[in-house]
Each structure stands twice: as structure tokens, then as C-alpha cells.
């Protein structure tokens, strides 16, 4: 072992350069002046933090570095015991419902990708919202303010990401936003505007 690194490169004459870092981090809450006002939780492998609609909780992906399993947890912003929402093997990218009662997230399990949701009060079991073997990866990105749609990223077998809108009622057949250009490069991470009249994308 030469070092703990997340990115590295090797030159043609055998010189190794790497960015020395740890996958572990701290979850910190900052005010608008850049001051840390709270640090919920201990050091862990965190990713994809999202504030709840009322601003009182953060849903976040937490990875176990030993097993590689990741799950969705909810941390109170002002401190307190976090709540584990999912139980792997690989759950990621939480998205809050507008009323803060449900979370949608991506799942990779047994070589298949799906988008699921779960009620935080435990009254309803986990529900599969979308699964299609034509796509090797799928993730929920945003929940429309009216609660009727999810913006989702789908990756084709050619490795190209595209943005789709997934209805949460009816036949739940995803469709692309109107006037979406047909491109061979990836488009991803579409977000609804507050009035749902537009969607912003990368």
C-alpha cells in the first residue's frame, strides 16, 4: 500500500501521482456566513445530503467501507439519534416528498437497478416505482412540488444518461420532458422549478 487515495495517475516513466484523502468525512451544518453551527453524527462515508422540506432533517447516503453496502439515513439537524431508513445492499441518492413523509431513492441489487420509495413512519412497505432492464442505472433526482412526479436519471447500456419524468400515479410510464433534444451525450440531474413549469438540467 502506497497511500490512501481516491484519484491517481501513473506516467509513462513510472511516476505515480495521487490525491491523498480519506473517503470518510463529517456532516456539518453551516449558516449563511460560513460558520459551522452543528455537526450531526460522527465521521463516516457520507454522500448525497438533502434537507427535508421543513429544514429539520437531512437524508443522506451512508456507506459501510468494509462491506461496501450503502443505506439511506435521516439525521436531525439539531442533533439527536439518526434513523436508518433502508437496509441495502446498495441504496443511494435520497429525495424527499414535498410533505416530508416519504423518501424516494435509487437501488442496485442482484445486478439490477430500480427506483423505490418508503414511508418514513413505517406504515407502508418499500415500493418499487420503476425498474427496467434496458437501463443499467437509475436514480431519483427530484420530486415535483405537487407530489405527482419524479425527475429521474436513466443510464442506457451504451453509457448515456438521459432525463425522464416518472408519474407516481396511473401506469407510471416515464416520459421525457417536452422539447428535450435528442443527444448522444449525457443529460442528467433534472430539477423542477418551484412552480413545476420548468426543469433545469446538466
Amino acid at each position: 500500500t502506497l497511500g490512501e487515495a481516491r484519484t491517481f495517475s501513473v506516467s509513462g516513466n513510472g511516476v505515480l501521482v495521487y490525491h491523498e484523502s480519506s473517503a470518510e468525512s463529517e456532516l456539518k451544518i453551516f449558516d449563511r456566513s460560513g460558520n459551522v453551527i452543528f455537526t450531526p453524527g460522527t465521521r463516516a462515508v457520507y454522500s448525497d445530503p438533502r434537507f427535508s422540506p421543513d429544514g429539520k432533517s437531512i437524508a443522506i447516503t451512508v456507506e459501510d467501507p468494509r462491506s461496501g453496502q450503502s443505506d439511506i439515513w435521516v439525521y436531525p439537524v439539531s442533533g439527536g439519534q439518526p434513523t436508518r431508513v433502508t437496509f441495502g445492499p446498495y441504496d443511494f441518492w435520497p429525495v424527499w416528498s414535498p410533505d416530508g413523509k416519504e423518501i424516494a431513492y435509487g437501488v442496485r441489487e442482484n445486478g439490477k437497478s430500480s427506483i423505490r420509495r418508503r414511508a418514513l413512519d413505517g406504515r407502508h412497505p418499500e415500493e418499487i416505482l420503476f425498474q427496467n432492464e434496458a437501463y443499467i442505472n437509475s436514480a431519483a433526482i427530484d420530486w415535483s412540488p405537487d407530489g405527482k412526479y419524479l425527475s429521474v436519471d436513466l443510464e442506457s447500456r451504451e453509457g448515456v444518461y438521459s432525463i425522464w419524468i416518472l408519474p407516481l400515479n396511473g401506469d407510471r410510464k416515464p416520459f421525457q420532458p417536452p422539447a428535450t433534444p435528442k443527444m448522444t451525450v449525457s443529460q442528467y440531474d433534472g430539477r423542477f422549478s418551484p412552480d413545476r413549469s420548468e426543469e433545469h438540467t446538466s
Side-chain angles (χ1 to χ4, degrees):
T1 300
L2 301 178
E4 187 172 4
R6 305 199 74 181
T7 55
F8 67 93
S9 181
V10 181
S11 71
N13 63 357
V15 176
L16 169 70
V17 59
Y18 64 92
H19 178 202
E20 189 171 46
S21 65
S22 170
E24 290 190 346
S25 61
E26 288 183 307
L27 181 61
K28 295 184 177 182
I29 311 297
F30 292 83
D31 64 19
R32 291 182 178 271
S33 299
N35 301 308
V36 177
I37 57 176
F38 204 79
T39 304
T42 58
R43 290 183 61 86
V45 183
Y46 296 114
S47 60
D48 319 324
R50 301 292 292 270
F51 276 105
S52 61
D54 63 7
K56 295 180 179 180
S57 302
I58 296 176
I60 194 165
T61 305
V62 182
E63 181 180 336
D64 184 335
R66 294 165 297 181
S67 67
Q69 177 173 309
S70 67
D71 292 294
I72 308 300
W73 289 71
V74 171
Y75 284 76
V77 168
S78 58
Q81 189 67 26
T83 301
R84 184 175 178 177
V85 178
T86 69
F87 295 86
Y90 195 83
D91 304 327
F92 60 96
W93 204 276
V95 176
W96 292 90
S97 64
D99 61 9
K101 294 181 179 180
E102 297 179 304
I103 287 180
Y105 48 94
V107 176
R108 284 199 286 272
E109 184 176 21
N110 298 324
K112 296 180 180 180
S113 176
S114 63
I115 296 171
R116 306 183 188 186
R117 70 175 167 185
R118 184 183 292 270
L120 292 177
D121 61 10
R123 294 182 181 179
H124 305 289
E126 179 183 67
E127 178 184 10
I128 297 176
L129 299 174
F130 176 81
Q131 184 170 314
N132 187 326
E133 294 187 13
Y135 298 97
I136 60 175
N137 275 309
S138 54
I141 302 300
D142 197 22
W143 206 311
S144 66
D146 61 12
K148 296 180 179 180
Y149 303 93
L150 283 176
S151 171
V152 301
D153 285 350
L154 302 179
E155 183 186 7
S156 70
R157 295 191 175 276
E158 293 72 36
V160 177
Y161 280 91
S162 53
I163 299 168
W164 295 77
I165 306 299
L166 178 65
L168 297 178
N169 298 306
D171 62 6
R172 294 183 181 168
K173 185 177 181 180
F175 61 90
Q176 290 196 281
T180 298
K182 302 300 180 183
M183 302 175 67
T184 57
V185 296
S186 291
Q187 303 172 75
Y188 46 86
D189 298 354
R191 309 275 180 154
F192 292 102
S193 61
D195 62 4
R196 205 179 65 80
S197 64
E198 295 181 300
E199 189 181 37
H200 305 279
T201 158
S202 298

